[in-house]
Amino acid sequence: SQTIHQWPATLVQPVGSPLSLECTVEGTSNPNLYWYRQAAGRGLQLLFYSVGIGQISSEVPQNLSASRPQDRQFILSSKKLLLSDSGFYLCAWSPGLAETYEQYFGPGTRLTVT
Amino acid sequence: QKEVEQDPGPLSVPEGAIVSLNCTYSNSAFQYFMWYRQYSRKGPELLMYTYSSGNKEDGRFTAQVDKSSKYISLFIRDSQPSDSATYLCAMSPWYGNNRLAFGKGNQVVVIP
């Protein structure tokens, strides 16, 4: 069966500090990978998605970036965090090019920027 | 008009009651309709998905899609306290589209 991991689970960072969140998927190959942010009262916001190694699509212009160095690894980064970056960050995967509606989420990282 | 509308609730029901949740949408191109359950401080869990119009049943859960009215529903029979969570609907216009449109979620509380 497939498993998705995210770490860290919780993070408190000062404004202006860098960020690196990691997501890995087990039990599947060539997944589509996604980064979402969930802010209170604002629903799920798609930040980035990737259909393959090194292929990143950005949905929202901001100070965040994503990378996919390996098939089942997805990284969310920032060089300098803003207060507005606080939120619940979720990684998700889907089985492939066709079943993109079938997205499975990880446990999430709760980020607080102080 | 927002693409997907979902009443945030909260919706409180006694244990054993039927929970009825719904979403409306504006984009007639939506073909795939999903329901997620999210417990507090956890990631959303895909409950079920439906293609086009019709009903789909999985245990105590039933999803209905009425494309003519642009309206989808999720029913939970014999509700349990463990069903207390936020339920999100999501939609996609076609397979291969990576951008799901999510509702904001509807909080459900099942009272023992």
Side-chain angles (χ1 to χ4, degrees), chain A residues 32 34 36 38 41 43-44 46 49 51 59 88 90 97-98 100-107 110, chain B residues 32 34 36 38 40-46 49 88 92 94-100 102-104:
Chain A
N32 284 10
Y34 310 84
Y36 286 87
Q38 188 175 38
L44 280 163
L46 179 63
Y49 70 88
V51 300
E59 293 296 297
F88 191 41
L90 292 155
L97 295 177
T100 54
Y101 53 85
E102 198 177 331
Q103 295 187 15
Y104 299 93
F105 287 82
R110 191 160 302 276
Chain B
Y32 292 89
M34 285 67 69
Y36 286 84
Q38 185 175 22
S40 180
R41 307 183 75 83
K42 302 291 186 183
E45 171 193 2
L46 179 61
Y49 60 85
L88 300 97
S92 176
W94 60 79
Y95 69 86
N97 184 297
N98 289 284
R99 303 172 188 85
L100 301 186
F102 281 89
K104 289 190 175 181

Side-chain angles (χ1 to χ4, degrees), chain A residues 52-63:
Chain A
I53 296 174
Q55 301 179 62
I56 309 294
S57 294
S58 174
E59 293 296 297
V60 182
Q62 56 207 336
N63 67 322

Side-chain angles (χ1 to χ4, degrees), chain A:
Chain A
S1 64
Q2 299 82 16
T3 308
I4 179 168
H5 303 279
Q6 284 186 248
W7 64 90
T10 306
L11 193 59
V12 180
Q13 293 282 94
V15 168
S17 64
L19 173 74
S20 181
L21 304 181
E22 191 164 343
C23 169
T24 59
V25 181
E26 296 177 355
T28 187
S29 58
N30 303 315
N32 284 10
L33 297 173
Y34 310 84
W35 278 113
Y36 286 87
R37 178 169 57 204
Q38 188 175 38
R42 296 181 61 183
L44 280 163
Q45 179 186 32
L46 179 63
L47 302 175
F48 303 92
Y49 70 88
S50 171
V51 300
I53 296 174
Q55 301 179 62
I56 309 294
S57 294
S58 174
E59 293 296 297
V60 182
Q62 56 207 336
N63 67 322
L64 298 173
S65 62
S67 62
R68 184 171 177 174
Q70 301 180 41
D71 181 44
R72 289 168 288 178
Q73 184 184 29
F74 206 21
I75 297 171
L76 182 69
S77 304
S78 174
K79 293 181 179 178
K80 288 186 178 181
L81 284 168
L82 307 172
L83 284 174
S84 58
D85 291 324
S86 292
F88 191 41
Y89 287 83
L90 292 155
C91 181
W93 71 276
S94 66
L97 295 177
E99 297 87 353
T100 54
Y101 53 85
E102 198 177 331
Q103 295 187 15
Y104 299 93
F105 287 82
T109 295
R110 191 160 302 276
L111 172 66
T112 303
V113 182
T114 61

Side-chain angles (χ1 to χ4, degrees), chain B residues 21-40:
Chain B
L21 305 169
N22 58 76
C23 291
T24 58
Y25 62 95
S26 57
N27 187 346
S28 58
F30 287 144
Q31 297 279 6
Y32 292 89
F33 303 91
M34 285 67 69
W35 284 98
Y36 286 84
R37 177 177 63 196
Q38 185 175 22
Y39 292 114
S40 180

